[in-house]
Amino acid sequence: SEEGGTSILIDGKKVLHTIIQKDPQLLPALFSPVSILRGNHLSMDLPIFRERMDGSFSIRFSYDSDLYFPRRLEKILARFNQAYLLNEKYRTEHTLQEGAILVIDNLRML
C-alpha cells in the first residue's frame, strides 16, 4: 500500500508447540495430507504442518470464506482456527509505514 498498513502474523512454531503439549489429539489431522479446494481448483494436498528435512516444521493454511474441505475435518479445522489462529496469544500485529517492508520466515509464519 502507498500508505502503509497493518500485517497480522501468526507464529506457527508457537502454535505447534502448544498443540503438542496441550492439544495433541489435533496432531493426526494437522499432520495428515489434506485436500482443500478453492472453486474448482485443488489448492493444497499437503498437511497443515509438515516436518522438513532439516528437522524444522512448516505451516501452510488459510481459513477463509471460499475454502472447502472434507466434512470430516470441519470441526477440527474450525477448532484449530478459533483456538490458535484467531487467538491473540499467537498473533502479532506489525504496522508498516509507507515504503516499509517486513521480511518473515514464510514457512514458520502465517
Side-chain angles (χ1 to χ4, degrees):
S1 168
E2 292 182 19
E3 298 175 12
T6 301
S7 296
I8 298 172
L9 302 176
I10 297 149
D11 187 342
K13 183 177 181 179
K14 191 173 182 181
V15 168
L16 180 58
H17 282 284
T18 302
I19 291 171
I20 289 169
Q21 293 173 356
K22 298 183 179 182
D23 211 0
Q25 64 275 16
L26 286 179
L27 292 172
L30 300 177
F31 275 91
S32 296
V34 178
S35 296
I36 296 177
L37 303 174
R38 287 193 186 282
N40 293 329
H41 303 285
L42 179 67
S43 67
M44 189 161 111
D45 197 19
L46 298 168
I48 293 168
F49 284 102
R50 183 171 57 111
E51 186 169 10
R52 297 169 35 94
M53 294 186 70
D54 65 1
S56 66
F57 294 88
S58 63
I59 184 171
R60 185 174 181 180
F61 189 67
S62 178
Y63 193 82
D64 53 25
S65 61
D66 64 344
L67 180 67
Y68 299 93
F69 44 80
R71 177 158 270 197
R72 66 182 171 76
L73 295 176
E74 185 173 4
K75 288 181 182 177
I76 293 169
L77 296 182
R79 184 167 135 222
F80 172 67
N81 187 59
Q82 187 64 41
Y84 297 100
L85 305 186
L86 296 178
N87 186 330
E88 294 296 321
K89 185 174 172 180
Y90 306 101
R91 297 165 66 98
T92 304
E93 288 188 15
H94 292 279
T95 301
L96 302 176
Q97 302 302 314
E98 178 182 345
I101 186 170
L102 177 65
V103 179
I104 62 168
D105 181 344
N106 194 30
L107 297 174
R108 175 179 172 165
M109 305 297 285
L110 290 177

